[in-house]
Amino acid sequence: MVSTRSMERSIERTGRRMTRTRRALIDAIAELGDHFTAEQLTDAVSGVGRATVFRNLRLLQDTGVLCQVVLRDGTTEYRVTPGGHHHHIVCSNCGNISDFENCDISDLLAEISRRTGYEIDAHRLEVYGLCAQCAALPSMPAKSLAGSASA
């Protein structure tokens, strides 16, 4: 996990000041652990409004400190990023989130660009399924991939 000092340096590199509020948010992020919602962060730092929390979440994403994860139910969570471009695989049962990098979809993106006329400048990939521990639980029925994809 990225240290709080590393998060502070990332903000300072943007030319922004390290305010007491930002320091409190960074400390709360370190306490919240692997993944958290904006609401959990707001609750963890008293006296800080939602708008301030969301502004700072955006700043930390822009500096590459945090990434956003969209869960299968549409809920948005944040997590400290390992750095670099990556994607997420999310357990539909326990909510465990893992990162993966080796996903060459450049040919697919080029084809989408060709078909639509869009110049693609970014993408996000979230994959959902059962982690090994949840798949091994006797009470978890095997889920078919057919018909479970969501748009």
Side-chain angles (χ1 to χ4, degrees):
M1 180 157 185
V2 176
S3 71
T4 57
R5 182 64 194 131
S6 176
M7 287 187 242
E8 290 172 3
R9 281 193 304 267
S10 293
I11 290 174
E12 290 166 348
R13 277 194 296 270
T14 68
R16 293 183 174 87
R17 292 179 324 129
M18 181 48 57
T19 63
R20 271 184 280 149
T21 299
R22 286 189 176 127
R23 185 163 284 114
L25 289 168
I26 287 171
D27 290 343
I29 288 168
E31 290 292 319
L32 287 170
D34 189 41
H35 50 97
F36 58 91
T37 64
E39 290 74 24
Q40 289 170 320
L41 183 57
T42 302
D43 292 344
V45 183
S46 62
V48 176
R50 287 177 49 82
T52 300
V53 168
F54 278 101
R55 257 192 319 276
N56 282 281
L57 285 170
R58 170 52 52 201
L59 171 63
L60 290 168
Q61 287 177 80
D62 291 347
T63 62
V65 170
L66 291 181
C67 59
Q68 211 177 45
V69 180
V70 179
L71 303 181
R72 189 175 183 145
D73 67 1
T75 304
T76 299
E77 290 191 349
Y78 299 86
R79 67 190 308 230
V80 177
T81 182
H85 184 75
H86 65 281
H87 303 285
H88 304 110
I89 186 162
V90 181
C91 180
S92 300
N93 185 53
C94 70
N96 184 48
I97 301 169
S98 298
D99 299 324
F100 64 97
E101 297 173 8
N102 298 330
C103 181
D104 186 7
I105 62 170
S106 56
D107 290 342
L108 175 61
L109 293 174
E111 177 64 16
I112 292 169
S113 178
R114 186 189 65 74
R115 286 185 188 180
T116 63
Y118 276 73
E119 283 187 34
I120 297 173
D121 58 12
H123 70 275
R124 177 192 333 224
L125 178 62
E126 312 287 0
V127 178
Y128 307 95
L130 293 176
C131 69
Q133 291 81 9
C134 289
L137 293 174
S139 63
M140 292 301 301
K143 292 187 179 180
S144 167
L145 290 178
S148 67
S150 60

